């Protein structure tokens, strides 16, 4: 297990290194300059700016400086946002995004498990059909469409929640729902399929033969066995939440990373794009490593079969 | 009981061979794999309807090319801007040219002095284009993006997966590490980088989606290939000295076809979503080009006052997504009956 | 005479499938006495597993009992609600399944899996249940039971797992133990150990066993009585000696003839396949594969003819007007042995 983990960490670092390198050189290859109002600037001004940002050094040196800086969490300085350090920009915005992401994940996964289990236990009844239809719709309706509809009908028309902005918990409700519906639908489908399989398995037959009640079978045997593989979906969910945050934060004007990312893409703010790119990659890599470890802990077959390699 | 037992010797004559039933006959008609899958798919109403909807959407959006194309959509007609839907003979508010303005239904066509014989089935956008025409055109663009991206995803993923699974050993190891690294980069990041480097537009979206999504297909194909490789009939073919290409074509591809078809059915809606997503936040296709994402982006700006401008493209997008997802589920169940039973 | 604890009468079960109703069980009757072992023998699809599932009330959703009764003591199991059945399953009637590799929950410690029925039926606390589970684990011959009770199923071999499954089944000291091909998935050497264990435990726990198998060889050392099933019906039943050495039904002949013995030089397979139960033949279901078939076999289903107090067979060959046929050599040899056994018993 230890050897396996070390190997995983190595690949993690390699991945991040590759992302950093690719991003860096892609950004350098970009035509044009980062200064939004370059036409109005004199050659001297540009010269000064270039020196300030270190853009006059040879590319390999810029690259090394960039990598070196990253090791102490220095991601450069934003071109657009009044010269703020990118790491500061990110730090000031990560709280909202993280809260939203975690809330959406919990909302989606917990409700998805409940709906999926209900569907599986009542397989081939109208309840199952209803759950299936709901999860297909949840999977198919893009979250940004849902967000706009929720914002308009629930917040603006009914006035149940704030329309936008970021304050107390009530501000998070609608974005959480919009962001969490995707994971919810996916979880419900996944749990339903998994549990139908588990419920058909021999050990469930044996549990029935022991005289266990329907509830006891689902709770003690079926749920546990169908939940374990769900861990593998945490990675894809993280990606979906990152993607979703870009558009949901935008719609609800939430000061988070996603909203920042869109702004920096639209304004060619390369240091910020690179910083957020690194953050997203590091986040995903960490989540993947974490799910591997969790999987090993909760599945006795992996836990005890040694190295897991 | 006693009555039944009163039987004469004639009843006990040996049964002539000719009268013997053909007991080797198989009672149910035998079905091939595809026939069996088709039978199950037909029983799945949702999947069948989805299939019909998808075919209709493809026919309408692509068939309209001579009438609705880039040129016909460039001309703006500001005097017809922001008109709601009007279908002659339908007296339902919202579909009769009336629009709710601060709680009152107002006939926008009269207000803007639109000639009586001029009407737009789904209304117009802010430049006076027919929304129906833009939606049909946008659907076509979205479908092209999705289909082309899926095609690249499919060829790259299938080839990579087969090679990796078939060669095994060191090659497989290296190829899997590469996939592992690529798939631990969020696809969003890849897409965004691609879009920044290439100019935003259809080609770069297609490339971005294709590059970021092939790993799933490659992984599934590899796993299945590994399994098929050890199957007896493949072993037999190898022992008999068939060339690897011939084995791949004759044994692997047919057996992988169900996975490929199912996975494709899930990749298409993902690609449609990604296109809409990117265009919606303004880094994909942008106006005056049209796609479902662009229409949603346009519609969202005026959603409060002209909700129909977002609702119609949103409905089309959702129907398209639902149809592909349902068809994907239907095909999965049809090919692999275990999942539904 | 021993107490009769189970009496199945005229059981009929249909399966609703897309192709039509499969008449899987067609008028099956048998009984089980206290302490005895009844073997139900038949090839795949003959309905033996379906019969036992109906005893547990565990039929698949598309199965429907269309007639008959299953009397357990003086209560009809078929009339019980699901809740009432839950109190019988695992407590009064327990079951062992065919494949020990898949019949244990992979994510639960085996101690808990054995203790579960105790907690459910005897309402003992977890600690006590575990200590009883430990006793049983020792009883079924798992070494280092104190340590291994905390292990997960994948840490045991197939034979050990079947021992654990047996421990689960016996933990509440059930009156009836249904063993559905308990040794089919195991190696031959392990098979013998498991059979030996079952016999030993039967004496200790005083349970009756219904033993389902397609392997007549396993039956000989295990059962007191044997019922032979074919195409959803019992075609012959009797004591183990009567079935093995004085069989009357041509299907039983075929089964015995296809079993390797020390004296046989070649194995005789029964030709053909069982009939399609979507549309079962109106006469004797074995008619199409029966080399001794007569006209009446194709027309009318044979009733049970009495051979002895304990031995009945459903074949027209036993009708007084039927011509005398010569059974296969192997059967003639066996009947000779039977005479010796009877003579021996008479002394």
């Amino acid at each position: 297990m230890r050897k396996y983990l070390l190997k995983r960490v190595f690949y993690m670092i390699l991945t991040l290194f590759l992302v950093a390198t690719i991003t860096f050189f892609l950004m350098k290859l970009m035509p044009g300059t980062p200064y939004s109002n370059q036409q109005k600037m004199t050659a001297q001004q540009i010269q000064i700016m270039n020196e300030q940002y270190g853009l006059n050094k040879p590319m390999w040196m810029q690259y090394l400086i960039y990598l070196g800086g990253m090791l102490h969490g220095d991601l450069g300085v934003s071109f657009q946002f009044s010269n703020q350090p990118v790491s500061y920009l990110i730090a000031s915005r990560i709280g909202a995004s993280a809260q939203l992401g975690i809330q959406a994940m919990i909302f989606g996964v917990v409700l998805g498990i409940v709906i999926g289990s209900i569907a599986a236990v009542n397989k081939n009844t109208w309840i199952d059909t209803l759950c299936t239809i709901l999860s297909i719709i949840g999977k198919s309706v893009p979250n940004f469409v849902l967000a706009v509809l929720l914002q308009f009908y629930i917040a603006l028309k009914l006035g149940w929640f704030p329309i936008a902005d970021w304050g107390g918990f009530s501000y998070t409700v609608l974005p959480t729902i919009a962001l969490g519906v995707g994971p919810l639908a996916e979880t419900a489908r996944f749990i339903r399929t998994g549990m139908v399989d588990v419920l058909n398995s021999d050990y469930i037959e044996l549990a029935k033969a022991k005289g266990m009640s329907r509830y006891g079978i689902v709770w003690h045997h079926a749920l546990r066995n169908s939940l374990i593989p769900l861990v593998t979906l945490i990675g894809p969910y993280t990606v979906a939440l990152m993607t979703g945050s870009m558009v949901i934060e935008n719609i609800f004007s939430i000061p988070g990373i996603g909203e920042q990312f869109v702004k920096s893409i639209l304004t060619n703010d390369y240091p910020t794009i690179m910083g957020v790119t690194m953050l997203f990659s590091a986040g995903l890599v960490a989540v993947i490593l974490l799910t591997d470890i969790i999987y090993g802990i909760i599945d006795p077959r992996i836990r005890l079969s040694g190295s897991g390699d | 009981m006693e009555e039944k037992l009163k039987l004469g010797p004639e009843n006990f004559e040996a049964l002539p061979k000719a009268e013997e039933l053909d007991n080797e006959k198989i009672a149910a008609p035998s079905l091939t794999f595809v026939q069996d899958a088709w039978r199950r798919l037909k029983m799945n109403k949702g999947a069948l309807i989805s299939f019909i909807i998808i075919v209709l959407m493809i026919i309408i959006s692509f068939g309209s090319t001579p009438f609705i194309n880039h040129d016909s959509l460039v001309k703006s007609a500001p005097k017809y801007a922001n008109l709601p839907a009007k279908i002659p003979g339908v007296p339902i508010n919202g579909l009769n040219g009336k629009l709710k303005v601060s709680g009152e239904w107002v006939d926008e066509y009269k207000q803007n002095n639109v000639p009586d014989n001029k009407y737009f089935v789904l209304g117009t956008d802010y430049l006076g284009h027919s929304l129906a025409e833009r939606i049909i055109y946008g659907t076509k663009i979205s479908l092209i993006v999705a289909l082309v991206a899926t095609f690249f995803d499919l060829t790259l993923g299938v080839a990579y997966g087969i090679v990796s699974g078939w060669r095994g050993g060191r090659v497989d190891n290296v190829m899997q590490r590469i996939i592992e690294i690529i798939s631990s980069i969020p696809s969003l990041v890849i897409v965004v980088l691609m879009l920044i480097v290439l100019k935003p537009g259809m080609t770069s979206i297609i490339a971005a989606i294709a590059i970021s999504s092939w790993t799933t297909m490659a992984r599934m194909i590899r796993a299945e290939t590994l399994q098929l490789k050890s199957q007896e009939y493949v072993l037999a073919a190898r022992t008999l000295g068939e060339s690897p290409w011939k084995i791949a074509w004759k044994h692997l591809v047919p057996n992988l076809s169900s996975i490929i078809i199912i996975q494709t059915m899930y990749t298409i809606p993902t690609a449609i979503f990604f296109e809409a997503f990117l265009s919606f936040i303004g880094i994909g296709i942008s106006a005056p080009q049209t796609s479902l994402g662009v229409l949603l982006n346009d519609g969202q700006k005026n959603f409060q006052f002209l909700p129909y401008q977002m609702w119609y493209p949103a409905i089309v997008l959702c129907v398209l997504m639902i149809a592909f997802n349902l068809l994907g589920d239907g095909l999965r169940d049809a090919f692999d009956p275990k999942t539904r039973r | 005479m021993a107490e009769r604890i189970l009496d199945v009468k005229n059981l009929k079960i249909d399966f609703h499938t897309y192709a039509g109703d499969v008449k899987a069980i067609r008028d099956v009757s048998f009984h089980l006495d206290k302490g005895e072992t009844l073997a139900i023998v038949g090839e795949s699809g003959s309905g033996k597993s379906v019969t036992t599932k109906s005893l547990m009330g565990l039929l698949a959703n598309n199965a429907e009992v269309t007639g008959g009764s299953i009397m357990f003591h003086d209560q009809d199991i078929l009339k019980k609600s699901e809740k009432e059945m839950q109190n019988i399953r695992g407590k009064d009637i327990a079951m062992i399944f065919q494949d020990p590799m898949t019949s244990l929950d992979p994510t639960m410690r085996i101690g808990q899996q054995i203790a579960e029925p105790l907690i459910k039926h005897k309402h003992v606390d977890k600690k006590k249940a575990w200590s009883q589970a430990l006793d049983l684990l020792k009883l079924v011959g798992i070494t280092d039971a104190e340590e291994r009770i905390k292990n997960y199923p994948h840490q045991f071999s197939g034979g050990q797992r079947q021992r654990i499954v047996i421990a689960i089944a016996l933990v509440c000291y059930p009156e009836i133990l249904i063993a559905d091909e308990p040794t089919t998935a195991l190696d031959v050497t392990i098979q013998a150990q498991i059979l030996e264990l079952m016999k030993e435990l039967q004496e200790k726990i005083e349970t009756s066993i219904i033993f389902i198998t397609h392997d007549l060889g396993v039956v000989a050392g295990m059962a007191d009585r044997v019922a032979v099933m074919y195409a959803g019906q019992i075609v012959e039943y009797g004591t183990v000696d009567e079935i093995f050495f004085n069989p009357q039904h041509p299907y039983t002949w075929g089964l015995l003839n296809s079993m390797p013995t020390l004296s046989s030089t070649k194995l005789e397979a029964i030709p053909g396949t069982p009939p399609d139960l979507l549309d079962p033949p109106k006469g004797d279901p074995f008619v199409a594969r029966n080399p001794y078939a007569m006209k009446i076999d194709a027309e009318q289903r044979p009733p049970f003819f009495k051979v002895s107090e304990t031995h009945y067979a459903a074949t027209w060959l036993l009708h007084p007007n039927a011509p005398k046929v010569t059974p296969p050599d192997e059967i003639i040899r066996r009947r000779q042995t039977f005479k010796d056994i009877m003579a021996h018993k008479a002394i």
Side-chain angles (χ1 to χ4, degrees):
Chain A
M1 190 73 188
R2 194 141 153 217
K3 201 177 135 201
Y4 174 72
L5 278 184
L6 279 175
K7 213 164 115 184
R8 290 308 308 247
V9 172
F10 169 74
Y11 277 112
M12 205 172 133
I13 294 167
L14 181 65
T15 306
L16 290 180
F17 171 74
L18 282 174
V19 174
T21 308
I22 294 169
T23 329
F24 180 85
F25 285 104
L26 279 181
M27 295 298 136
K28 288 293 156 197
L29 283 177
M30 291 302 301
T33 69
Y35 314 121
S36 52
N37 44 358
Q38 193 171 14
Q39 287 86 353
K40 293 185 209 134
M41 290 158 74
T42 62
Q44 204 181 4
Q45 273 176 314
I46 292 177
Q47 175 87 36
I48 293 167
M49 294 283 269
N50 276 348
E51 256 167 51
Q52 192 189 336
Y53 292 120
L55 295 177
N56 53 349
K57 296 195 178 81
M59 203 186 281
W60 63 268
M61 221 163 142
Q62 290 183 35
Y63 174 60
L64 287 184
I65 291 170
Y66 177 69
L67 282 186
M70 210 155 55
L71 290 179
H72 337 82
D74 177 9
L75 295 166
V77 177
S78 164
F79 288 160
Q80 300 293 334
F81 295 87
S82 48
N83 292 342
Q84 284 185 42
V86 173
S87 48
Y88 174 76
L89 259 179
I90 288 177
S92 66
R93 285 170 166 262
I94 199 165
S97 288
Q99 185 190 347
L100 195 59
I102 290 169
Q103 273 181 217
M105 181 94 93
I106 294 172
F107 162 77
V109 169
V110 171
L111 210 59
I113 290 171
V114 173
I115 291 177
S117 312
I118 292 174
V121 171
N122 298 292
K123 189 177 60 131
N124 295 340
T125 64
W126 66 269
I127 300 174
D128 181 22
T129 314
L130 183 71
C131 292
T132 308
I133 290 174
L134 284 179
S135 58
I136 283 279
I137 292 176
K139 192 179 149 81
S140 304
V141 177
N143 49 15
F144 52 90
V145 172
L146 185 68
V148 172
L149 297 183
L150 286 175
Q151 187 181 43
F152 184 68
Y153 290 101
I154 307 284
L156 192 71
K157 285 252 164 138
L158 296 172
W160 290 357
F161 297 103
I163 296 162
D165 213 348
W166 192 245
F169 177 73
S170 63
Y171 288 86
T172 68
V173 175
L174 293 183
T176 300
I177 294 174
L179 204 52
V181 161
L184 188 156
E186 198 57 52
T187 308
R189 286 159 58 87
F190 188 83
I191 289 287
R192 185 199 171 274
T193 318
M195 198 177 270
V196 165
D197 261 8
V198 169
L199 286 175
N200 279 331
S201 66
D202 286 358
Y203 57 86
I204 295 297
E205 191 80 358
L206 184 74
K208 284 184 198 160
K210 284 178 186 176
M212 302 286 292
S213 63
R214 221 162 85 119
Y215 170 81
I217 287 171
V218 170
W219 189 250
H220 292 293
H221 296 280
L223 200 56
R224 201 183 149 94
N225 278 287
S226 26
L227 279 185
I228 290 175
L230 189 65
V231 174
T232 55
L233 284 187
I234 295 178
Y237 286 174
T238 310
V239 177
L241 292 178
M242 286 171 182
T243 313
S245 73
M246 285 174 70
V247 65
I248 302 295
E249 288 178 0
N250 230 326
I251 291 171
F252 288 99
S253 316
I254 295 166
I257 304 283
E259 197 236 3
Q260 172 78 69
F261 197 32
V262 178
K263 269 189 206 155
S264 41
I265 294 167
L266 292 174
T267 55
N268 288 346
D269 183 359
Y270 299 134
T272 313
I273 296 175
M274 278 153 79
V276 176
T277 299
M278 283 312 293
L279 177 78
F280 277 178
S281 308
L284 180 62
V285 168
V287 165
I288 292 175
L289 182 71
L290 209 67
T291 49
D292 263 17
I293 296 171
I294 295 176
Y295 205 86
I297 290 172
I298 59 174
D299 192 332
R301 281 162 296 190
I302 294 177
R303 191 193 324 162
L304 292 151
S305 59
S307 68
D309 197 1
Chain B
M1 206 60 165
E2 281 306 308
E3 200 56 36
K4 263 167 119 188
L5 293 178
K6 276 180 191 148
L7 295 163
E10 71 283 358
N11 287 310
F12 293 100
E13 280 167 27
L15 197 64
K17 282 273 177 235
E19 267 187 53
E20 265 185 51
L21 300 156
D22 178 9
N23 58 40
E24 297 284 352
K25 195 185 84 199
I26 292 164
S30 71
L31 297 171
T32 66
F33 178 65
V34 174
Q35 281 173 324
D36 201 33
W38 176 238
R39 179 184 66 77
R40 275 193 292 266
L41 187 65
K42 272 195 300 192
M43 290 198 311
N44 185 338
K45 292 275 179 319
L48 200 63
I49 294 170
S50 301
F51 181 67
I52 294 168
I53 288 176
I54 291 168
V55 169
L56 277 180
M57 280 190 161
I58 290 176
I59 291 175
I60 292 172
S61 57
F62 285 88
S64 68
T65 310
F67 320 105
I68 306 163
N69 47 47
H70 191 66
D71 295 337
S72 77
L73 286 172
V74 176
K75 294 188 292 267
S76 57
K79 58 176 172 172
Y80 296 143
N82 293 334
L83 291 173
K86 182 177 179 182
I87 308 169
V90 178
I92 305 165
N93 280 342
L95 295 177
N96 58 355
K98 286 186 180 164
L99 188 69
K100 211 171 184 179
V101 179
S102 43
E104 298 274 325
W105 287 99
V106 181
D107 192 331
E108 290 281 327
Y109 281 69
K110 270 209 187 99
Q111 289 230 322
N112 290 294
N113 299 320
V114 180
D116 271 351
N117 58 351
K118 188 89 186 161
Y119 59 88
F120 297 94
V121 193
L122 295 180
T124 57
D125 67 0
Y126 65 103
L127 289 175
H129 300 128
S130 159
L131 198 55
E133 286 182 18
R134 281 197 83 191
I135 288 177
I136 291 174
Y137 186 75
T139 308
K140 182 171 82 177
I141 298 298
S142 291
L143 279 173
I144 291 176
V145 169
L147 294 176
V148 176
T150 306
F151 172 76
F152 282 116
D153 162 51
L154 191 125
T155 35
L156 185 58
V158 171
Y160 195 97
I162 289 184
V163 171
S164 178
W166 186 259
R167 294 294 295 272
R170 231 190 148 71
V171 176
D172 180 41
N173 218 335
V174 171
M175 290 178 89
Q176 283 315 298
R177 290 294 91 78
I178 293 173
I179 283 202
E180 212 166 281
I181 289 173
I182 293 178
S183 56
S184 47
I185 304 171
S187 52
L188 172 70
V189 165
I190 301 179
V191 171
V192 166
L193 291 182
M194 295 286 299
L195 286 179
I196 292 173
V197 176
L198 310 169
K199 292 230 165 49
M202 237 170 98
T203 334
S204 40
I205 288 198
I206 290 173
I209 294 173
I211 285 179
S212 63
S213 67
W214 63 276
T215 48
T216 320
M217 176 74 93
R219 277 187 164 164
M220 293 179 84
I221 293 293
R222 170 187 171 263
E224 194 65 15
T225 305
L226 274 181
Q227 230 175 42
L228 287 172
K229 200 167 79 168
S230 56
Q231 295 280 315
E232 260 80 31
Y233 59 87
V234 177
L235 282 179
R238 293 173 85 180
T239 326
L240 292 172
E242 285 255 45
S243 77
W245 288 110
K246 215 166 167 192
I247 294 174
W249 190 245
K250 269 175 65 186
H251 296 293
L252 291 182
V253 173
N255 281 293
L256 292 170
S257 58
S258 59
I259 297 191
I260 296 175
I261 292 172
I262 294 164
Q263 187 56 31
T264 306
M265 284 302 143
Y266 289 131
T267 311
I268 293 175
T270 313
I272 293 176
F273 167 80
F274 240 111
E275 183 280 315
F277 166 81
L278 294 170
S279 305
F280 184 83
I281 57 176
I283 57 176
I285 296 171
S286 51
Q289 273 283 352
T290 301
S291 76
L292 288 176
V294 172
L295 290 170
L296 287 169
N297 188 352
D298 286 352
Q300 187 229 354
K301 291 170 187 153
N302 282 324
F303 189 57
Q304 200 174 336
F305 308 105
L306 304 164
Y308 71 93
Q309 284 188 0
M310 173 144 173
W311 266 113
Y312 296 138
I315 289 171
V316 172
L317 177 63
C318 293
V319 167
L320 202 57
M321 299 275 290
I322 291 175
F324 271 111
N325 277 319
L326 275 180
L327 183 62
D329 283 0
L331 285 168
R332 184 197 61 200
D333 297 340
F335 282 121
D336 183 10
K338 280 198 306 265
T339 50
R340 262 279 152 180
R341 217 189 302 147
Chain C
M1 199 172 136
E3 185 195 348
R4 181 158 299 186
I5 53 175
L6 188 75
D7 205 349
V8 178
K9 284 238 161 69
N10 308 102
L11 186 65
K12 295 187 185 75
I13 298 173
D14 285 2
F15 280 87
H16 306 299
T17 69
Y18 76 91
D21 285 359
V22 175
K23 293 162 192 71
I25 301 297
R26 303 182 296 142
D27 206 357
V28 161
S29 304
F30 63 91
H31 64 84
L32 184 70
D33 290 339
K34 193 164 177 54
E36 76 166 346
T37 301
L38 170 71
I40 300 180
V41 184
E43 56 196 288
S44 321
S46 60
K48 44 196 198 321
S49 287
V50 177
T51 309
T52 51
K53 289 236 167 97
S54 69
L55 300 182
M56 298 285 284
L58 286 179
L59 286 170
N61 287 335
N62 63 339
E64 187 194 349
V65 177
T66 53
S69 64
I70 300 174
M71 300 302 290
F72 175 59
H73 293 294
D74 51 355
Q75 302 161 33
D76 190 347
I77 279 180
L78 295 175
K79 294 207 174 74
K80 297 244 176 235
S81 70
E82 168 63 23
K83 261 250 126 45
E84 292 169 316
M85 277 316 293
Q86 281 171 11
N87 290 326
I88 293 177
R89 278 182 221 140
K91 179 164 161 257
D92 301 317
I93 308 178
M95 192 157 178
I96 304 173
F97 293 93
Q98 180 170 353
D99 189 354
M101 301 312 277
T102 56
S103 46
L104 292 168
D105 185 338
T107 58
M108 191 184 270
R109 294 177 198 282
I110 57 139
Q112 184 63 24
Q113 299 196 45
I114 302 174
E116 240 178 14
L118 282 171
I119 297 168
K120 157 93 189 171
H121 298 297
K122 308 276 180 188
H123 308 291
V124 298
D125 61 43
K126 195 182 162 186
K127 212 173 151 202
K128 201 165 165 223
W130 272 67
S131 87
Q132 286 189 37
L134 182 65
D135 293 342
L136 221 73
L137 210 53
K138 287 178 186 157
L139 196 65
V140 296
I142 301 281
T143 46
D144 292 335
E146 284 87 354
E147 284 301 311
R148 308 220 62 186
I149 192 165
K150 291 185 215 114
N151 286 2
Y152 289 92
H154 70 271
Q155 292 164 287
F156 294 89
S157 70
Q160 284 174 320
R161 289 196 208 185
Q162 197 61 308
R163 285 169 192 267
I164 295 164
V165 173
I166 291 173
I168 292 173
L170 295 180
V171 73
C172 287
Y173 290 72
E175 289 188 70
I176 300 174
L177 175 66
I178 299 170
D180 190 352
E181 311 227 11
T183 57
T184 308
L186 301 172
D187 288 347
V188 183
T189 46
I190 311 287
Q191 274 187 20
Q193 290 173 13
I194 295 291
L195 292 174
E196 200 53 47
L197 176 72
M198 285 179 66
K199 270 202 301 198
E200 199 184 300
L201 291 174
Q202 183 179 22
E203 272 170 35
K204 281 188 192 154
I205 290 179
E206 292 176 336
T207 178
S208 312
I209 296 180
I210 297 178
F211 196 94
I212 314 287
T213 183
H214 64 266
D215 183 356
L216 271 172
V218 170
V219 171
M222 197 62 203
D224 301 309
R225 289 192 302 120
V226 181
V228 179
M229 268 191 100
Y230 183 76
Q233 295 174 338
I234 290 181
V235 293
E236 184 167 9
Y237 61 93
T239 64
V240 70
D241 285 343
E242 285 166 338
I243 296 296
F244 269 80
F245 298 109
N246 191 25
Q248 300 297 326
H249 197 284
Y251 178 64
T252 319
W253 293 351
L255 277 184
L256 287 165
N257 219 5
S258 61
M259 195 175 98
T261 61
L262 285 176
S263 54
S264 61
T265 47
K266 80 174 212 221
L267 295 179
E268 296 285 347
I270 306 176
T273 53
D276 178 15
L277 291 181
L278 271 172
D279 181 24
K282 66 175 179 192
D284 184 338
F286 190 56
V287 61
R289 303 167 75 183
N290 186 357
Y292 308 96
M294 300 173 294
K295 268 188 178 156
I296 185 74
D297 281 326
E299 287 155 11
Q300 206 173 326
R301 192 176 144 184
F304 274 111
F305 290 93
K306 183 174 171 182
V307 183
S308 78
E309 278 305 322
T310 50
H311 187 185
Y312 291 81
T315 169
W316 286 115
L317 287 176
L318 291 174
H319 191 274
N321 289 344
K324 291 284 160 276
V325 298
T326 318
D329 294 347
E330 169 67 21
I331 304 303
I332 295 173
R333 253 198 310 280
R334 282 173 177 269
R335 284 188 173 164
Q336 194 54 48
T337 321
F338 186 67
K339 277 186 194 136
D340 296 345
I341 294 171
M342 294 318 269
H344 193 73
K345 274 191 181 158
I347 303 165

